[in-house]
């Protein structure tokens, strides 16, 4: 969509965002094309939150100062984000690639 803005109005792939996107996606990939990458996205959210709460509760301990809690939260979210980020790459490849038979195995 970002390149459509630069090309001008006559060369755009999607003239209106709401209807044309759904229509073209369902025509080319079917209804399942709208949900490509959803399972990996849900898995990534589940793993991120699990790591976040697990690491945070492990190192929380007794009541600490504001700065210690801030650094703990910052480090926890950074660590969880770095560990789960490769799943985001798989999700983007699932959405953009034309993997047909075994989508998850082909797009890794």
């Amino acid at each position: 969509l970002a390149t459509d803005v630069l090309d001008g109005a006559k060369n755009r792939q999607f003239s209106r965002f709401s209807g044309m996107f759904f229509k073209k996606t369902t025509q080319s990939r079917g209804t399942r094309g709208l949900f490509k990458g959803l399972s990996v996205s849900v898995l990534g959210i589940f793993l991120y939150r699990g790591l976040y709460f697990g690491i945070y509760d492990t190192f929380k301990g007794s009541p600490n100062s504001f700065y210690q809690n801030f650094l703990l939260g910052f480090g926890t979210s950074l660590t969880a984000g770095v560990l789960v980020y490769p799943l985001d790459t798989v999700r983007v490849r699932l959405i953009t690639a034309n993997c047909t038979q075994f989508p998850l195995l082909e797009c890794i």
Side-chain angles (χ1 to χ4, degrees):
L1 289 174
T3 57
D4 282 349
V5 174
L6 299 175
D7 287 340
K10 59 184 173 204
N11 296 330
R12 288 186 181 171
Q13 183 179 2
F14 302 108
S15 60
R16 291 171 289 162
F17 182 75
S18 59
M20 296 301 289
F21 170 76
F22 293 112
K23 184 178 179 183
K24 287 195 175 206
T25 303
T26 54
Q27 283 176 351
S28 64
R29 296 184 180 179
T31 308
R32 290 186 68 191
L34 295 172
F35 299 101
K36 274 189 151 184
L38 181 67
S39 59
V40 178
S41 207
V42 170
L43 178 66
I45 293 168
F46 181 76
L47 288 175
Y48 175 80
R49 283 306 193 183
L51 284 169
Y52 181 84
F53 289 125
I55 295 170
Y56 188 81
D57 284 344
T58 300
F59 293 108
K60 175 72 169 143
S62 62
N64 299 325
S65 70
F66 171 77
Y67 296 110
Q68 287 175 335
N69 283 336
F70 177 78
L71 288 175
L72 178 62
F74 177 74
T76 300
S77 63
L78 185 68
T79 304
V82 166
L83 291 175
V84 177
Y85 185 74
L87 279 178
D88 189 51
T89 305
V90 172
R91 180 186 63 86
V92 169
R93 289 185 71 183
L94 271 173
I95 293 170
T96 57
N98 197 5
C99 307
T100 55
Q101 191 174 8
F102 300 106
L104 188 58
L105 296 176
E106 290 177 18
C107 291
I108 292 177

